Amino acid sequence: MTLTTALTFRLGGAPAGPAGTGKTETVKDLAKGLAIRCVVNNCGDGLDYRAMGTIFSGLVQTGFWGCFDEFNRISPEVLSVVAAQIKVIQNALIHEKKTLELLGKELNVVDTVGIFVTMNPGYAGRTELPDN
């Protein structure tokens, strides 16, 4: 219910909770129910803002959903830039823009794109999300 309400506002979602409680499966099942392809990415400290930007670019241009599992395993420095990239996508969707700029490239926006992040707070190796 909460995720579908967020979608009406052109936003994604950020389910959080203990490991194995179905956060990722919930996002995948919702996408399946809406006939939208969902791509799951397992996050870690090896991801940088360019890799995330490249993934976002693909999602924006295809209209697929991206589910970023264990999002809070990304380093805090990278999370701040990634949050700004997600904001660019959200703004384009909210304002119904046909294009957006990401990583210095002009991209066509397919408005079914969705960004979802799952988190297991309180586990070792996890960071707190930045304010942005």
Side-chain angles (χ1 to χ4, degrees):
M1 179 82 162
T2 302
L3 290 178
T4 54
T5 300
L7 289 170
T8 65
F9 291 104
R10 315 293 279 190
L11 301 171
T21 56
K23 300 175 294 294
T24 302
E25 290 303 315
T26 298
V27 172
K28 287 170 42 181
D29 287 347
L30 180 58
K32 185 177 180 180
L34 297 173
I36 298 173
R37 190 160 302 215
C38 182
V39 180
V40 177
N41 296 279
N42 293 309
C43 298
D45 56 4
L47 283 175
D48 64 8
Y49 78 94
R50 293 196 62 78
M52 292 294 287
T54 301
I55 294 168
F56 293 148
S57 295
L59 296 173
V60 163
Q61 294 177 93
T62 59
F64 291 1
W65 284 7
C67 182
F68 297 88
D69 203 20
E70 297 192 47
F71 189 71
N72 55 336
R73 290 183 63 202
I74 300 172
S75 69
E77 301 81 25
V78 174
L79 278 175
S80 185
V81 177
V82 168
Q85 292 172 331
I86 291 172
K87 188 66 177 165
V88 167
I89 296 167
Q90 286 178 335
N91 285 339
L93 291 171
I94 290 167
H95 299 294
E96 300 180 0
K97 294 189 176 189
K98 300 295 179 200
T99 63
L100 62 78
E101 186 176 325
L102 203 58
L103 295 178
K105 296 179 182 170
E106 190 79 14
L107 306 173
N108 291 323
V109 177
V110 178
D111 65 1
T112 56
V113 64
I115 308 292
F116 298 85
V117 301
T118 68
M119 297 173 282
N120 301 328
Y123 287 79
R126 278 30 172 222
T127 58
E128 294 298 316
L129 295 182
D131 290 338
N132 66 341

